[in-house]
Amino acid sequence: MSGAGKKIGDVALKAGRTIDWDGMAKLIVSDDAKKEFSTLRRAFDEVNTQLQTKFSQEPEPIDWEYYRKGIGSRLVDMYKEAYEAVEVPKYVDNVTPQYKPKFDALLVELKEAEEKSLKESERLEKEIADVQELKTKLSTMTADEYFEKHPELKKKFDDEIRNDYWGY
């Protein structure tokens, strides 16, 4: 098997193991997106299977004796010599070293954005919970209870009353 084919097959196998298809599927809401996602997954599985079967197998060795019996040894020896003289060039990866630092930098940036997003999500969830609590208590809440939760508004209203500013 050629080095490039084996490397492609190994990368595809690892990628297939590390993708959390079920986790991603849970995040999809619309029917069109679910349809597109299942098409993507099916296409990935087909390509991955093809890479695993086609590129992970060594070619079967040629049975030169079998052909010598049927064709003749001179012609077979000529073909065998030509076959063994063929050299398949090894794949040299010049692209990955160029893009590896950029990809690693993007991964770091992604982690930072994820952390920021999680913090913002927590803040918004807390704010939603506060608003929902306020909504349920609004009909029975006194001004003192409200100002206890929002002291900055109490200070603002106290200043307006003290300065005889009634909003008009």
Side-chain angles (χ1 to χ4, degrees):
M1 172 183 210
S2 71
K6 182 166 179 48
K7 186 173 182 179
I8 290 170
D10 291 346
V11 169
L13 180 65
K14 288 176 188 172
R17 287 187 198 140
T18 59
I19 296 175
D20 182 13
W21 293 105
D22 295 330
M24 288 192 308
K26 291 176 186 174
L27 300 174
I28 298 173
V29 179
S30 73
D31 291 335
D32 289 340
K34 288 179 183 179
K35 182 179 169 186
E36 289 295 323
F37 181 74
S38 65
T39 303
L40 173 68
R41 184 172 184 178
R42 194 172 327 117
F44 179 84
D45 288 340
E46 287 173 9
V47 168
N48 197 18
T49 302
Q50 189 176 18
L51 287 173
Q52 290 305 311
T53 57
K54 194 179 263 189
F55 293 112
S56 65
Q57 298 174 356
E58 292 288 333
E60 292 184 23
I62 298 173
D63 184 8
W64 298 108
E65 293 304 317
Y66 171 79
Y67 292 108
R68 277 194 182 93
K69 293 175 189 171
I71 299 174
S73 65
R74 234 171 95 197
L75 186 60
V76 172
D77 287 340
M78 186 175 75
Y79 274 105
K80 182 178 179 183
E81 186 179 317
Y83 177 80
E84 290 173 351
V86 171
E87 285 190 37
V88 178
K90 296 287 183 188
Y91 173 73
V92 178
D93 186 7
N94 297 326
V95 177
T96 301
Q98 293 173 355
Y99 289 99
K100 182 88 170 114
K102 293 177 185 177
F103 182 74
D104 291 342
L106 285 174
L107 284 177
V108 169
E109 188 178 321
L110 174 72
K111 289 292 183 189
E112 291 170 358
E114 180 184 24
E115 289 173 11
K116 184 178 176 183
S117 175
L118 289 172
K119 287 178 184 175
E120 181 67 10
S121 179
E122 287 176 14
R123 185 190 70 77
L124 289 173
E125 287 176 4
K126 184 179 181 286
E127 189 174 323
I128 288 171
D130 290 344
V131 168
Q132 287 176 340
E133 178 186 349
L134 180 64
K135 184 179 172 184
T136 58
K137 293 182 177 180
L138 193 60
S139 63
T140 60
M141 182 182 280
T142 65
D144 289 334
E145 291 172 335
Y146 184 81
F147 287 141
E148 192 177 302
K149 284 193 176 263
H150 304 284
E152 70 281 354
L153 286 177
K154 178 169 178 39
K155 183 180 181 310
K156 179 183 169 194
F157 284 126
D158 287 344
D159 288 345
E160 288 177 359
I161 292 170
R162 196 173 311 111
N163 295 328
D164 202 28
Y165 178 75
W166 294 92
Y168 47 85

